[in-house]
């Protein structure tokens, strides 16, 4: 089963979108604490040399970028940050409620294992990703022991086309049937329906009762708003970097997607709700994307 875009399987390059969303989190650290949607002191360390060089000029341009993000059609970076915060909130709640382990699917440069280290209290975090990105991240962490310190990360390298998620997790020490929190962020919109449904089915079999899945989806830009065609075009321009947006589903249909895998909808936040909960400085979340949490 293929859980990431084909092009990322056939090259050794890191994901460009993974670097982009990491940049969004790094730029938030240039704001006052009360103005941040997410606080991630680790993000900048994961930037590529090019990203690190670009960070300074982008930080100076934040007022202009914020002005552009006041339009829901162009609010993609605000959405990414709100999405991250939404998943953070559900992770924290799940840990408080007794989750025994955490899985980050398509982990990229996710830093939750470090940001939530105290709350995790040694509970394992299985970071699942393709080998090139997983190894680059591991090298960065190893290079800055004073920053990252000790963690409970268990790296799970996988070729999603040829290897079983259940087998690779099991080899890393994942305990099937236990209460688990799963973050599947920034991945599903780049897949096809078969891959999304197959992944949900696998997670439903792996996770125990009370487990929570948090993930994001694209509505296919068939939703409300006169600029839906523009949003569809914007989504498809990502194909120019080899990571096309391919899977869309309307929020009203999500319960039907989740149910066959044994998940019931717990929380769903579209643009207006994400903006209301998390956005600052007049920024607005993109209208064509949303995030959800589901429990099995």
């Amino acid at each position: 089963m293929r859980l990431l875009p084909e092009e990322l399987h056939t090259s050794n390059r890191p994901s460009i979108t993974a670097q982009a969303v990491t940049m969004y989190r790094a730029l938030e650290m240039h704001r006052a604490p009360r103005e941040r949607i997410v606080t991630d002191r680790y993000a900048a360390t994961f930037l590529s040399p090019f990203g690190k060089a670009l960070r300074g000029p982008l930080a100076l341009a934040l007022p202009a970028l914020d002005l552009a993000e006041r339009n829901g059609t162009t609010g993609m970076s605000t959405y990414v940050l709100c999405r991250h915060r939404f998943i953070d909130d559900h992770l924290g709640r799940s840990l408080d409620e007794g989750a025994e382990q955490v899985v980050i699917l398509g982990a990229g440069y996710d830093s939750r294992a470090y940001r939530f280290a105290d709350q995790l209290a040694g509970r394992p975090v299985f970071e699942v990703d393709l080998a090139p990105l997983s190894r680059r991240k591991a090298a960065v962490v190893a290079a800055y022991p004073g920053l990252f310190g000790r963690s409970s990360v268990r790296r799970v390298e996988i070729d999603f086309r040829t290897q079983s998620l259940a087998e690779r997790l099991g080899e890393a020490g994942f305990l099937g049937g236990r209460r688990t929190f799963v973050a599947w962020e920034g991945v599903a919109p780049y897949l096809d329906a078969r891959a999304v449904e197959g992944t949900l089915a696998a997670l439903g079999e792996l996770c125990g009762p009370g487990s929570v899945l948090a993930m994001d989806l694209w509505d296919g830009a068939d939703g409300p708003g006169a600029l839906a065609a523009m949003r569809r075009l914007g989504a498809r321009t990502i194909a120019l970097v080899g990571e096309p947006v391919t899977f869309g589903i309307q929020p009203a249909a999500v319960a039907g997607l989740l149910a066959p895998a044994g998940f019931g909808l717990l929380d769903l936040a579209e643009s207006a709700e994400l903006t209301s909960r998390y956005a600052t400085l007049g920024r607005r979340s993109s209208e064509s994307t949303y995030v959800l949490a589901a429990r099995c």
Side-chain angles (χ1 to χ4, degrees):
M1 177 170 32
R2 179 174 63 86
L3 304 190
L4 286 175
E6 180 69 20
E7 201 276 341
L8 291 182
H9 286 283
T10 56
S11 76
N12 287 322
R13 72 163 178 85
S15 165
I16 293 173
T17 54
Q19 278 285 303
V21 299
T22 304
M23 176 67 82
Y24 298 153
R25 300 200 308 273
L27 289 174
E28 285 295 280
M29 297 303 291
H30 289 268
R31 306 183 190 278
R34 69 180 182 279
E35 296 176 344
R36 298 174 193 158
I37 298 173
V38 171
T39 295
D40 185 348
R41 68 189 183 97
Y42 305 98
T45 311
F46 290 121
L47 293 175
S48 66
F50 176 76
K52 289 177 179 177
L54 191 60
R55 181 187 175 200
L58 286 177
L60 293 175
L62 278 176
L65 296 174
D66 289 347
L67 186 62
E69 291 279 309
R70 292 179 181 178
N71 184 319
T73 304
T74 57
M76 182 52 69
S77 67
T78 300
Y79 163 70
V80 167
L81 293 166
C82 290
R83 173 185 79 188
H84 209 72
R85 176 73 174 276
F86 175 100
I87 297 175
D88 279 358
D89 284 355
H90 281 280
L91 169 59
R93 192 170 301 128
S94 292
L95 292 173
D96 286 344
E97 292 174 352
E100 299 176 54
Q101 53 196 356
V102 175
V103 175
I104 312 291
L105 279 180
Y109 301 107
D110 188 288
S111 67
R112 292 184 175 97
Y114 310 99
R115 291 191 290 115
F116 285 82
D118 290 343
Q119 194 173 356
L120 282 161
R123 284 173 278 191
V125 178
F126 298 90
E127 294 191 344
V128 183
D129 216 327
L130 301 175
L133 183 50
S134 181
R135 292 174 187 177
R136 181 183 186 277
K137 183 179 183 181
V140 172
V141 171
Y144 295 92
L147 174 63
F148 290 97
R150 296 177 62 86
S151 76
S152 53
V153 169
R154 301 187 188 182
R155 292 194 304 114
V156 183
E157 294 183 3
I158 187 170
D159 184 330
F160 290 111
R161 299 168 302 173
T162 61
Q163 295 177 304
S164 160
L165 177 62
E167 289 178 3
R168 295 296 291 139
L169 281 172
E171 291 166 0
F174 178 88
L175 299 175
R178 300 292 182 87
R179 192 167 185 167
T180 305
F181 180 84
V182 181
W184 194 21
E185 182 178 9
V187 178
Y190 299 96
L191 308 180
D192 57 30
R194 182 179 178 184
V196 172
E197 292 165 1
T199 304
L200 289 172
L203 293 173
E205 293 176 0
L206 287 167
C207 298
S211 295
V212 172
L213 163 68
M215 65 182 294
D216 62 300
L217 290 164
W218 177 53
D219 69 6
D222 291 325
L227 298 177
M230 183 180 295
R231 294 197 296 272
R232 285 194 297 273
L233 178 62
R236 292 191 170 97
T237 58
I238 301 174
L240 296 175
V241 298
E243 298 169 34
V245 176
T246 53
F247 178 75
I249 184 170
Q250 287 290 302
V254 163
L257 175 70
L258 297 169
F263 287 98
L265 195 59
L266 183 65
D267 186 14
L268 188 150
E270 298 182 59
S271 170
E273 180 63 24
L274 287 171
T275 299
S276 175
R277 289 189 197 182
Y278 305 121
T280 62
L281 302 171
R283 292 179 284 176
R284 292 175 58 192
S285 181
S286 169
E287 293 175 0
S288 60
T289 44
Y290 60 100
V291 63
L292 64 89
R295 191 189 301 276
C296 67

